[in-house]
Amino acid sequence: MAIRQKNSGWIEVICGPMFSGKTEELIRRLVRAQFAKQEVAIFKPKTDNRYSDDYIVSHNKRKIKSVILESASDINKFKDKADVFGIDEAQFFGDNLIEVCNDLANIGKRVVIAGLDKDYAAKSFGPIKQLLIDAEYVTKVNAICMICGDRASFTQRISTEKDLVVVGETDKYEARCRKCFNT
Ligand code: ADP
Ligand code: MG
Ligand code: ZN
């Protein structure tokens, strides 16, 4: 008789524009896992140091302890230390994040990834696109358009910088709907 493997892992992706509650939703899921006495490990890339060095923090100031990494491959060192892996600002990691997340899911881990699906030019951002394909569960969240109040799924850069990665907040970015977004 075939042995059915228990505890199959999976990948969840939470994506959307800035201010859409991705980090909030990531923290909600991870805190619930902690309540269930599961070991949770949380990571963010070095690029995002907006609020706190060893926490991930949402715009409404909820936070949870996290580890800052230079490279997604450093997550492998934590393989045996947790059941649930949370990754915030995943768009800033390199494409090696894709293999790392799939490897974790393949050995039975739950992997919860939050990140921007679109960059400021509305093009796909970093490893997120492939992770959306690989994921078992995808949640797309919206913000509120700062111009008209509709559902916003675009991030408008309101500063004039042209680099792909410009870390900022409401001083540099606005959530916008399709109609109010301009490239
Ligand atoms: P994300 O990680 O997607 O950038 P966060 O989870 O950090 O989002 O923050 C979401 C919070 O941002 C909301 O609960 C709200 O308090 C705040 N916020 C600021 N601007 C907006 C906006 N335009 N639309 C919706 N929420 C906003
Ligand atoms: Mg966030
Ligand atoms: Zn609008």
Side-chain angles (χ1 to χ4, degrees):
M1 203 176 78
I3 296 169
R4 195 183 295 172
Q5 200 187 334
K6 283 196 295 181
N7 301 327
S8 154
W10 68 86
I11 295 174
E12 301 166 33
V13 175
I14 303 159
C15 68
M18 280 183 75
F19 313 109
S20 61
K22 300 181 299 296
T23 300
E24 230 170 83
E25 178 60 17
L26 177 67
I27 293 172
R28 190 187 74 87
R29 293 185 194 183
L30 299 175
V31 167
R32 281 159 63 96
Q34 287 174 333
F35 275 125
K37 302 267 187 296
Q38 295 173 341
E39 264 328 304
V40 175
I42 304 147
F43 305 97
K44 64 175 185 178
K46 197 154 186 229
T47 340
D48 180 41
N49 56 358
R50 277 173 300 180
Y51 303 94
S52 165
D53 280 347
D54 26 22
Y55 287 89
I56 62 170
V57 186
S58 68
H59 292 109
N60 62 357
K61 309 285 186 280
R62 280 198 77 185
K63 60 180 191 174
I64 191 166
K65 203 125 185 79
S66 71
V67 176
I68 299 174
L69 299 177
E70 298 256 1
S71 163
S73 57
D74 298 334
I75 295 174
N76 289 323
K77 292 182 212 149
F78 295 81
K79 244 182 194 162
D80 304 319
K81 294 198 164 60
D83 314 302
V84 180
F85 289 75
I87 296 147
D88 199 15
E89 302 290 355
Q91 76 280 352
F92 293 144
F93 280 115
D95 280 348
N96 58 344
L97 181 67
I98 299 161
E99 196 182 342
V100 169
C101 291
N102 278 286
D103 286 350
L104 288 170
N106 290 342
I107 59 165
K109 309 295 184 180
R110 174 184 177 193
V111 185
V112 190
I113 299 158
L116 290 166
D117 46 0
K118 301 183 183 83
D119 66 17
Y120 79 100
K123 298 281 185 284
S124 72
F125 210 154
I128 292 283
K129 185 167 157 182
Q130 184 60 44
L131 286 164
L132 285 168
I133 293 166
D134 296 339
E136 275 82 355
Y137 305 99
V138 173
T139 305
K140 190 149 174 168
V141 281
N142 290 298
I144 307 296
C145 175
M146 295 299 283
I147 304 290
C148 76
D150 270 0
R151 282 164 170 254
S153 71
F154 293 81
T155 305
Q156 182 78 54
R157 185 177 285 172
I158 50 179
S159 71
T160 53
E161 289 127 308
K162 288 286 177 292
D163 292 341
L164 174 62
V165 178
V166 176
V167 174
E169 280 303 313
T170 46
D171 56 324
K172 292 187 177 163
Y173 296 99
E174 265 179 18
R176 295 275 181 97
C177 74
R178 182 179 290 277
K179 186 164 47 74
C180 299
F181 174 74
N182 35 59
T183 33

